[in-house]
Amino acid sequence: MAKIKRNENAPEERLEADRKQLELLAARCGEEAGLHRPLNEVVGGVITGIPEDTDLAQALSDRETTDILVHLLDQNREQVERALERLHEGTYGICEGCGRRIPEARLNYQPAATRCVECQSHWDRLNGRTA
Ligand SMILES: [Zn+2]
């Protein structure tokens, strides 16, 4: 098994921090469903997969949207956990789809990424995520 190369970006720390925050947010979203609080205040920065044109503040009044958000948080947490697993296996930064290196810039932007952009969008299409 390949050794994990020490990296200045310390993806493990970032991933652990993200995981904790996502767990917290999921709990909080569940508790606060129905309270009128701007969603982007609650989830700011951590969550991915929300279409950019979604009006988060308006969406909060919609109970169904809160459920979707909790689901998204769950998905994000699973993704972070998978990236952590790969980190421990020594395969972090290798695309799950094509086996090539995931570009450094993508990992910096999205430390939990386990696929390159091409493979991720292909996977998203197959799994009906995003339009
Ligand atoms: Zn790939």
Side-chain angles (χ1 to χ4, degrees):
M1 189 181 289
K3 263 194 188 160
I4 300 169
K5 229 164 97 186
R6 268 290 150 212
N7 181 329
E8 292 153 301
N9 296 319
E12 185 161 16
E13 266 173 45
R14 286 182 66 182
L15 288 168
E16 288 286 5
D18 276 2
R19 180 167 66 167
K20 283 203 192 88
Q21 203 174 352
L22 285 164
E23 276 171 5
L24 203 80
L25 285 172
R28 226 162 38 164
C29 282
E31 283 166 17
E32 294 187 1
L35 291 182
H36 288 270
R37 181 172 189 175
L39 272 197
N40 49 3
E41 199 181 283
V42 181
V43 299
V46 199
I47 198 165
T48 60
I50 297 181
E52 276 175 24
D53 57 356
T54 303
D55 187 334
L56 291 177
Q58 194 189 334
L60 186 64
S61 60
D62 186 350
R63 180 64 209 243
E64 227 173 278
T65 310
T66 307
D67 289 344
I68 292 168
L69 182 68
V70 171
H71 181 65
L72 268 176
L73 283 166
D74 254 7
Q75 280 186 339
N76 275 255
R77 188 174 42 78
E78 277 171 26
Q79 183 63 36
V80 167
E81 278 169 4
R82 191 149 78 203
L84 276 168
E85 255 172 51
R86 293 177 69 77
L87 201 60
H88 292 143
E89 285 169 1
T91 53
Y92 180 74
I94 309 287
C95 175
E96 283 183 314
C98 63
R100 285 190 294 233
R101 281 224 148 265
I102 300 171
E104 193 86 0
R106 174 162 167 76
L107 289 174
N108 281 334
Y109 175 70
Q110 183 56 266
T114 54
R115 293 180 187 88
C116 70
V117 176
E118 274 168 44
C119 291
Q120 186 63 53
S121 64
H122 181 66
W123 189 89
D124 284 346
R125 268 199 305 278
L126 282 181
N127 288 273
R129 287 177 58 181
T130 69

